[in-house]
Amino acid sequence: MYKKNAGIVKAWKATVRKTQNSAKKRANSIFSAMSVAPADDEPGPGELHHAERAIPNGDFYTGQWMDNMPHGHGKYLCTDGCMYVGEWYKGKTLGKGKFSWPSGATYEGDFKSGYMDGKGTYTGSSGDTYRGCWVMNLKHGQGTQNYANGDYYEGEWRRGYQDGQGRYQWKNEHHYIGQWRNGKIHGNGTMVLNDGNRYDGCWEDGLPKGNGTFRWSDGSCYVGVWSKECDERSGTFYPCGSSKDEEMASDPQGMLVEYLNDCVVCNGERILIYPSQKMITWSGIDIGSSPQKLMVSRKGIDGNRRLKRLSVDGKVSNSSFDSMNDGSTNEGSSRNRKGIGSRHHHQRHDFERKGKRQSNLRFQPANRQGVTISKGHKNYELMLNLQLGIRHSVGRPAPTTTLDLKSSVFDPKEKIWTKFPPEGSKYTPPHQSSDFKWKDYCPVVFRTLRKLFKVDPADYMLSICGNDALRELSSPGKSGSFFYLTYDDRYMIKTMKKAEVKVLLRMLPAYYKHVRSFENTLVTKFYGLHCVRLTGTSQKKVRFVIMGNLFCSEYTIHRRFDLKGSSHGRITDKPEAEIDGTTTLKDLDLNYIFRLQKIWFQDFCRQVDKDCDFLEQERIMDYSLLVGLHFQETSDREPNRLDSQDSGSRDPDYEADGQFTEQDSGRWASIRLGINLPARAERTVRQGEPEAQLVGEPTGELYDVIIFIGIIDILQHYDISKKLEHAYKSFQYDPSSISAVDPKQYSKRFRDFIFRIFVEDT
C-alpha cells in the first residue's frame, strides 16, 4: 500500500514539474524574440483570436481570447497540476467544461460564473462518482452517488447533503427509502434489512424516533413509540403463530439499533478546493504578448504586488509579481494595506454582471451601537440583577432535556421564583446589588430552545454574564421597550410589557413546534424569558426576553431596513448625511430590489410562506422583515469590531488581496438562509410621490452584497386596541396603507411586498 501511494505521489510531482516546464518554455518562446507585431496587426476590441498567455503566477492559458481575457474555448493549466478545458465567457468559466485535479479527480459538466453549476459528473480519486445537479459548487437537486465502499444513493440533494426524498443502498444489501435532512435519515421512511425484516415509521437524525412498526419476515410485528431513551419507549408485540414470541418481543428496539450499526451513511470524498477558487480575476491583470505589456494593473493588486489563491491542499499560495519600482505612490495600495480596500470582494460572489456594475460606494462610518452600562448608570443595578439571574438559571443543575416536550412544561404557570438577598443564600451567591427576586418563565422550554438552536450554555452565560458590561441602545423603540446588547453583539435583550409576555407564553407551544419543524425559519429566535422584581416600596417589575442578534457578523452592516409592506409613516425623517449603518430605514426609504441565486430564492420564498402562515394562525400582525446589507465594493472599508478583534490570527495579505482563503471557505460553508447570503442589489427609482409607488423601477445599477434577513417584532396580537387603531386611522388614510390591519390581510400584503423586492437572479 505504501509503495502504491508513493508511486501516486511521484507521478503527481512529475506532472506538476512537466506542467511548470511547459509553461516556462511557452513563455520563453513568446518573449525570446523580443519582437512585437505592428500595432495595425493587433486584434482590436471585441475581436476573437487565438492566444497563448503565461500568467505572472506561473499558470498558463491557451485558447480563444478577446479583450485581454479568455473568451470562447480554452485550456487553463495551474502550476500545481489543476487544469480546466472548456468554454469561457469574458474571463470566466461558463458553459461546458472539464476540470481535473492532480489527485486524478475530475468534474465534467456545466459551469456558470466559475462555479460547478448545472448538470455534471464528479469522479473522485478514491472512486466516488456523483452524477446530477449542482448549484454554486454544491450538489443540489436530483443526483446519484456511487461510493467507493460499494454504497449507493439516489434522490434529492440540498447544499451538498442528502435532503428530501431518497434511496440509500448499503453494500450489505440493507436499504432505506424515505426522507432525509442534512445528510441524515430524518422524517418518514422504511428500512428494509437483508434478512427480510423491516422498519416503517418516523426517524430523527439517523435513528427511529416517534411512531413506528417493526415487521419480521415471518409476519410478526411490533407497533409502538421509538426512542433512544429507554424510559420513553413503549409498544405492543403482535406475534405470528409460528414465531418464537418471547425471543422476538424481548427488545425489538434494541435489536433494530444493532442492525443500524451496519448502516452507516458514507460521507463520500471531500472536494478540498473548487474550480472557482483556482481561477484568477482577469480584470485586475493586463497581459499582452510582449514583455512591455506583462504587468499587473495597480487597480487590481495590493501594494505587495501579490496574487493569492488556494493550492490543491487548501493552503494559500503566494506568487510575487515582478517588482514595479517606479517611485510613484499607489493610493489604492495604501488603502489596501490599511485594510480598507477590496477586502471582502471574494470570487465566490463574483456573479455574471448584467447592466451597469457600480463600485466605490461611500457610506457614513457607523459608531458602535449603544452606551456601556457602567457604575453610576441608572440601569447599572438592573444589569447586575439580570446577569446574576441568568448565571443562576443557566448554571442550575437540570435533567437531560429531550426535544419531545410534554404539554405541561408550556403551562404559563410553569415558572420559578428565586430570592437574591445581598448576603447570599443556600442557592444564590452574595452580591453588591440590592435585594431582588428573579423569575424564570417556562424554564424547560427555553432550555430546550437553546439546545435546539445549538447555543452552548457556557458561551451563552459568558456572553451575557462575563466581565464585560452590557450596552444600552441610545433610545427606546416605538413600543417604549429598551434594548441591550451583549459585549460580543451575539444577543439582544429587550424589556417587555406584560401583554407581550402573555402573547409569547400563549404562542410558545406553536412557536416551539414551528422552529423545530423549520430549522431555517426567519422568525426571531428566543432564548429566555425572565422577570426581575425589585424589593422595597416600589415592587417594580422588569420583564425581558433574550433574543439572537441578526447582525452579529464579521461583515460591516452598511444599510439596514425595517420593512412591513405598508406606506403610512414608513419613512425615516433623517438627513442623508446623518444616515449610517445603525440607522433603521423603512419601506419608503428602500431604493433596491434584491436578486438571489436560484438555490436561495426558492428556499426564501418557501420559508417566508411557512413563517407567515404560522404568524397568521397565531393572530400576529405588525411584524417586519429586518434586512441588513453589506456592500462588497465600498471605498471606505473601515475594519469593523470583529475584524479588529481577530486581526492577530488573520493573514495580512488576505486583508489586502480579498481573495478566497481557507478561513473564507469556512465562512462560505456557514452561509444559510437569512445569514451571510450572497446576492445582488439593484438600485431602483420611484416616479412621483413615494407613497404612490412602494417599489421603484429598476435602473440596472447592480451591487454585490452580503445580505442578512429576519422576521422580527412577532409579539403584537391583533387585539381590541389594534382593531380600534385600524378603525380610527381608516377614516384619515387609505386602509391598505396603515400597519394595523387584520392578520390575514397583513400576511397577504406583507408577502406580496416581499416577493416584489426579492427576485430570482437569472
Side-chain angles (χ1 to χ4, degrees):
M1 184 68 181
Y2 174 78
K3 291 181 178 179
K4 183 180 178 182
N5 290 337
I8 293 173
V9 172
K10 188 175 181 180
W12 174 70
K13 288 182 177 179
T15 302
V16 172
R17 284 196 298 269
K18 185 177 179 182
T19 304
Q20 291 174 330
N21 292 335
S22 176
K24 289 177 181 178
K25 288 179 181 178
R26 297 191 186 196
N28 291 335
S29 67
I30 293 172
F31 305 133
S32 59
M34 293 297 290
S35 62
V36 183
D40 294 340
D41 295 336
E42 290 185 0
E47 186 176 336
L48 189 66
H49 62 286
H50 180 83
E52 293 187 347
R53 295 290 185 266
I55 315 302
N57 64 358
D59 295 351
F60 186 82
Y61 172 82
T62 177
Q64 292 178 298
W65 190 266
M66 187 174 73
D67 292 339
N68 211 31
M69 63 181 65
H71 186 85
H73 192 278
K75 178 190 294 187
Y76 189 96
L77 297 137
C78 301
T79 55
D80 56 16
C82 290
M83 180 175 69
Y84 170 80
V85 181
E87 297 175 328
W88 297 76
Y89 181 80
K90 294 184 178 178
K92 293 182 181 174
T93 53
L94 182 69
K96 299 289 183 182
K98 181 177 181 179
F99 190 91
S100 57
W101 288 261
S103 64
T106 61
Y107 168 82
E108 188 167 4
D110 296 331
F111 286 82
K112 181 180 178 183
S113 298
Y115 298 101
M116 298 183 290
D117 197 305
K119 290 187 177 181
T121 300
Y122 174 82
T123 304
S125 58
S126 63
D128 285 2
T129 301
Y130 171 82
R131 294 181 178 86
C133 299
W134 299 75
V135 175
M136 295 179 70
N137 291 333
L138 299 177
K139 302 166 189 173
H140 189 91
Q142 287 292 130
T144 60
Q145 174 100 28
N146 289 282
Y147 297 94
N149 67 352
D151 292 356
Y152 173 84
Y153 173 82
E154 180 179 13
E156 295 179 272
W157 298 76
R158 295 175 70 80
R159 303 188 195 96
Y161 295 100
Q162 299 97 329
D163 199 305
Q165 194 74 17
R167 182 182 190 276
Y168 194 101
Q169 173 93 36
W170 283 268
K171 62 181 177 181
N172 56 19
E173 296 186 0
H174 296 326
H175 68 268
Y176 168 82
I177 304 172
Q179 295 176 316
W180 295 74
R181 190 168 78 179
N182 290 337
K184 293 183 179 180
I185 297 172
H186 192 104
N188 292 317
T190 299
M191 175 74 75
V192 181
L193 305 168
N194 56 16
D195 57 6
N197 299 338
R198 61 185 287 162
Y199 169 82
D200 300 270
C202 300
W203 299 77
E204 185 175 284
D205 291 335
L207 293 172
K209 184 65 180 289
N211 295 322
T213 301
F214 188 90
R215 289 182 173 84
W216 282 264
S217 57
D218 69 347
S220 301
C221 68
Y222 173 88
V223 181
V225 177
W226 299 67
S227 174
K228 63 180 178 180
E229 305 294 337
C230 295
D231 58 346
E232 296 177 4
R233 300 175 180 176
S234 63
T236 304
F237 177 69
Y238 298 93
C240 182
S242 61
S243 64
K244 297 179 181 179
D245 301 351
E246 293 184 3
E247 181 182 347
M248 291 187 173
S250 59
D251 186 18
Q253 301 209 19
M255 183 179 65
L256 179 57
V257 171
E258 289 295 324
Y259 275 113
L260 294 179
N261 290 334
D262 297 327
C263 296
V264 177
V265 176
C266 185
N267 292 326
E269 182 177 320
R270 182 180 170 225
I271 302 176
L272 292 176
I273 187 166
Y274 297 105
S276 55
Q277 295 167 242
K278 297 301 296 180
M279 301 302 155
I280 62 175
T281 304
W282 293 88
S283 58
I285 305 176
D286 183 18
I287 301 176
S289 58
S290 66
Q292 291 86 348
K293 287 189 176 182
L294 184 58
M295 59 180 293
V296 179
S297 169
R298 294 176 183 268
K299 294 180 181 179
I301 304 298
D302 70 353
N304 294 327
R305 297 165 181 84
R306 289 183 176 182
L307 179 65
K308 295 189 66 172
R309 189 184 56 198
L310 285 181
S311 61
V312 290
D313 59 357
K315 297 179 181 178
V316 180
S317 61
N318 301 321
S319 298
S320 299
F321 289 90
D322 292 336
S323 180
M324 296 179 288
N325 298 320
D326 57 0
S328 62
T329 302
N330 190 331
E331 183 181 351
S333 298
S334 64
R335 278 203 304 269
N336 280 332
R337 284 194 294 272
K338 294 175 184 177
I340 312 176
S342 56
R343 185 172 63 225
H344 295 301
H345 189 202
H346 306 309
Q347 286 181 318
R348 67 169 190 252
H349 303 308
D350 198 3
F351 302 121
E352 191 64 38
R353 300 297 191 270
K354 294 180 181 178
K356 292 176 283 184
R357 174 174 161 272
Q358 301 297 312
S359 60
N360 295 326
L361 294 168
R362 288 192 174 274
F363 295 100
Q364 188 74 15
N367 296 321
R368 197 177 185 198
Q369 278 188 290
V371 177
T372 301
I373 303 176
S374 54
K375 199 165 186 177
H377 191 283
K378 62 178 182 178
N379 288 325
Y380 180 71
E381 281 202 356
L382 177 63
M383 180 191 72
L384 293 181
N385 297 344
L386 186 153
Q387 291 178 323
L388 284 166
I390 293 292
R391 190 179 291 116
H392 172 76
S393 298
V394 178
R396 182 171 52 225
T400 304
T401 56
T402 172
L403 297 181
D404 293 323
L405 298 179
K406 298 177 181 178
S407 58
S408 58
V409 301
F410 292 96
D411 190 333
K413 296 178 182 178
E414 189 73 16
K415 45 197 169 189
I416 299 175
W417 278 105
T418 306
K419 291 183 179 180
F420 279 80
E423 65 277 9
S425 68
K426 183 178 179 180
Y427 303 103
T428 62
H431 57 88
Q432 298 178 352
S433 182
S434 57
D435 190 12
F436 71 95
K437 290 184 73 176
W438 172 265
K439 183 196 288 187
D440 283 317
Y441 294 92
C442 298
V444 175
V445 178
F446 285 102
R447 189 184 306 121
T448 310
L449 280 171
R450 292 194 293 271
K451 179 181 177 181
L452 187 66
F453 295 142
K454 296 179 175 58
V455 174
D456 182 80
D459 290 342
Y460 181 74
M461 192 187 303
L462 190 63
S463 290
I464 302 173
C465 314
N467 295 328
D468 296 274
L470 302 177
R471 304 198 313 276
E472 183 180 73
L473 299 193
S474 55
S475 60
K478 187 178 178 182
S479 63
S481 300
F482 282 85
F483 293 86
Y484 304 92
L485 281 171
T486 57
Y487 82 97
D488 56 5
D489 287 343
R490 286 188 179 184
Y491 304 104
M492 182 173 283
I493 301 167
K494 176 189 176 185
T495 61
M496 303 179 72
K497 295 179 181 178
K498 187 176 182 179
E500 290 179 309
V501 173
K502 287 184 176 180
V503 171
L504 179 53
L505 291 174
R506 176 187 58 78
M507 68 185 287
L508 196 55
Y511 173 83
Y512 180 81
K513 181 180 179 181
H514 181 76
V515 298
R516 186 181 176 188
S517 301
F518 303 102
E519 62 177 348
N520 289 321
T521 180
L522 299 174
V523 298
T524 304
K525 289 180 170 58
F526 295 121
Y527 299 124
L529 182 62
H530 312 281
C531 176
V532 170
R533 188 173 76 182
L534 305 177
T535 57
T537 56
S538 65
Q539 294 285 306
K540 180 182 177 183
K541 286 185 179 180
V542 180
R543 304 170 183 86
F544 55 89
V545 66
I546 302 175
M547 307 175 290
N549 179 20
L550 180 66
F551 296 151
C552 178
S553 170
E554 69 269 31
Y555 293 110
T556 302
I557 301 299
H558 295 121
R559 284 289 179 268
R560 63 181 69 194
F561 295 91
D562 180 288
L563 307 172
K564 294 179 182 289
S566 58
S567 58
H568 177 65
R570 301 295 297 162
I571 193 168
T572 303
D573 186 16
K574 200 170 186 180
E576 179 71 26
E578 296 179 15
I579 294 175
D580 61 20
T582 64
T583 306
T584 302
L585 303 172
K586 300 179 182 178
D587 299 66
L588 297 180
D589 301 305
L590 182 66
N591 56 343
Y592 300 101
I593 60 172
F594 306 109
R595 300 188 175 278
L596 300 178
Q597 286 281 317
K598 182 178 180 179
I599 180 177
W600 301 112
F601 178 72
Q602 293 174 345
D603 286 355
F604 173 76
C605 292
R606 191 181 300 113
Q607 194 58 56
V608 168
D609 279 332
K610 296 292 185 184
D611 290 340
C612 287
D613 287 342
F614 158 68
L615 295 171
E616 183 181 327
Q617 289 167 9
E618 294 301 309
R619 302 288 293 167
I620 302 296
M621 44 78 66
D622 214 23
Y623 44 88
S624 309
L625 189 77
L626 185 63
V627 178
L629 301 178
H630 168 82
F631 287 83
Q632 296 192 75
E633 301 177 39
T634 57
S635 57
D636 78 339
R637 295 301 181 100
E638 75 284 356
N640 64 6
R641 185 185 54 75
L642 286 176
D643 283 338
S644 57
Q645 270 192 349
D646 197 33
S647 59
S649 62
R650 288 188 178 227
D651 181 349
D653 291 326
Y654 163 80
E655 293 290 324
D657 289 339
Q659 297 298 320
F660 203 111
T661 68
E662 187 173 13
Q663 178 184 10
D664 196 47
S665 64
R667 186 182 301 138
W668 174 226
S670 71
I671 293 174
R672 59 185 177 84
L673 190 63
I675 302 295
N676 288 354
L677 270 181
R680 294 198 296 167
E682 182 173 1
R683 187 178 289 277
T684 60
V685 175
R686 292 183 178 86
Q687 306 294 334
E689 291 297 321
E691 292 198 16
Q693 189 181 16
L694 200 55
V695 180
E697 297 295 329
T699 63
E701 296 181 13
L702 297 167
Y703 305 86
D704 285 344
V705 296
I706 305 297
I707 194 166
F708 300 80
I709 314 167
I711 297 177
I712 63 170
D713 296 337
I714 63 170
L715 298 178
Q716 181 57 62
H717 189 254
Y718 191 61
D719 54 16
I720 186 63
S721 64
K722 286 296 178 181
K723 292 178 181 178
L724 292 173
E725 180 185 343
H726 173 76
Y728 174 74
K729 289 185 176 180
S730 294
F731 286 112
Q732 301 173 290
Y733 310 103
D734 178 3
S736 64
S737 70
I738 60 180
S739 295
V741 295
D742 177 83
K744 189 170 185 178
Q745 182 183 346
Y746 190 95
S747 174
K748 182 181 184 305
R749 184 182 65 187
F750 181 81
R751 283 187 246 200
D752 289 345
F753 175 68
I754 297 306
F755 294 150
R756 288 176 64 194
I757 62 173
F758 284 88
V759 298
E760 183 179 341
D761 195 2
T762 55

